[in-house]
Amino acid sequence: MEYYKICPSCGIKNKCSNSFCECGVDLASVKTMAAAAGDEKAAGAFSADRPGCLTVYALLIYGSGVAFSLLGVAGGIAALIYELINGPASYISMTVFIIAGSAGFAAFYSFLTRGYLEMRPWARYWAILVHGMNVPGSLTMSCSAVGFITAAIDRGDSGAVAIAVLAAATMIGVVALNGYTLYWFIKNGKYFS
C-alpha cells in the first residue's frame, strides 16, 4: 500500500518523507493517507494516523449492530411464521416493523462504523453522548444490584447472593468501561477533524 500526504494548499500528493510541498507548504502537520485505488475520499477511511483502539471500537460497533440486527430479523421471521400457522395474524404489522427496524439498525451501525473509521467529528459526539448516558445508567443498575444483595442476605439465600454479587461486579465493570471510553473520546478530539 502506498502512503502519501496531500498538500492542503495545492492538493498535490507528496511522499511521506517530504517535509515541504513543491509549493512551499510545511507538511509536518498533514496526516498521512493510504492510497485506495486513486480515490482520495475513500483514502480517508484508511488513515495511518487512526489509533488501533478506534479501529477495534469501530469493528465492535459494527459486529454488535450486525448481531442485534440478525437476531431481530430472525425473531421477527419466527414470530411471523408462528402467527401465520397458529391463528389470527393480528401482530403481522408489528412483526414487519421489527424486521424493518432491525434492517434500519444495521444500516445505522454501518454508517456509524464508517464515521469512526473516517474519524468524523459527529461520530465522536455520538460516542460521547451514548457513553455519557451509559455511565449513570450502569451506575444506577449497579446500585440496584447492591439492593438485591442485601435482600438476598436477609432471606439467607446464598445462591441469590452469588448471582447478585456477580451482577453487581459485571455492572461495575460496565461502568468502568463506559467511563474510560467516554474519557478517551473527550480527551482525543485531535483525531477527529
Side-chain angles (χ1 to χ4, degrees):
M1 185 174 289
E2 178 185 343
Y3 291 96
Y4 59 90
K5 293 181 179 181
I6 297 177
C7 176
S9 178
C10 67
I12 294 176
K13 289 182 184 178
N14 294 280
K15 292 182 181 178
C16 288
S17 58
N18 293 1
S19 298
F20 293 92
C21 181
E22 294 172 8
C23 69
V25 172
D26 184 10
L27 298 173
S29 64
V30 176
K31 290 184 177 181
T32 302
M33 306 298 267
D39 182 7
E40 281 76 22
K41 288 183 181 176
F46 303 101
S47 173
D49 294 335
R50 183 179 57 242
C53 63
L54 185 59
T55 304
V56 170
Y57 181 79
L59 294 176
L60 286 173
I61 290 292
Y62 182 74
S64 65
V66 167
F68 286 133
S69 298
L70 290 176
L71 287 172
V73 169
I77 290 171
L80 181 63
I81 291 171
Y82 177 81
E83 290 169 4
L84 292 174
I85 292 173
N86 293 323
S90 58
Y91 299 108
I92 289 180
S93 60
M94 185 62 166
T95 304
V96 171
F97 176 75
I98 290 170
I99 294 171
S102 297
F105 192 72
F108 174 71
Y109 268 58
S110 297
F111 177 70
L112 197 56
T113 299
R114 182 73 182 198
Y116 289 128
L117 291 176
E118 292 179 353
M119 298 180 289
R120 301 285 185 207
W122 58 262
R124 174 179 172 252
Y125 300 141
W126 178 261
I128 290 171
L129 175 71
V130 168
H131 291 288
M133 291 188 306
N134 280 347
V135 168
S138 301
L139 196 55
T140 302
M141 291 176 72
S142 297
C143 292
S144 65
V146 170
F148 288 125
I149 293 170
T150 53
I153 289 172
D154 289 344
R155 286 193 321 263
D157 188 354
S158 61
V161 170
I163 291 171
V165 167
L166 181 62
T170 302
M171 291 314 300
I172 290 169
V174 169
V175 169
L177 183 63
N178 277 308
Y180 182 75
T181 306
L182 176 63
Y183 166 78
W184 190 92
F185 275 103
I186 290 171
K187 180 179 177 262
N188 292 295
K190 62 188 174 199
Y191 294 113
F192 298 86
S193 56

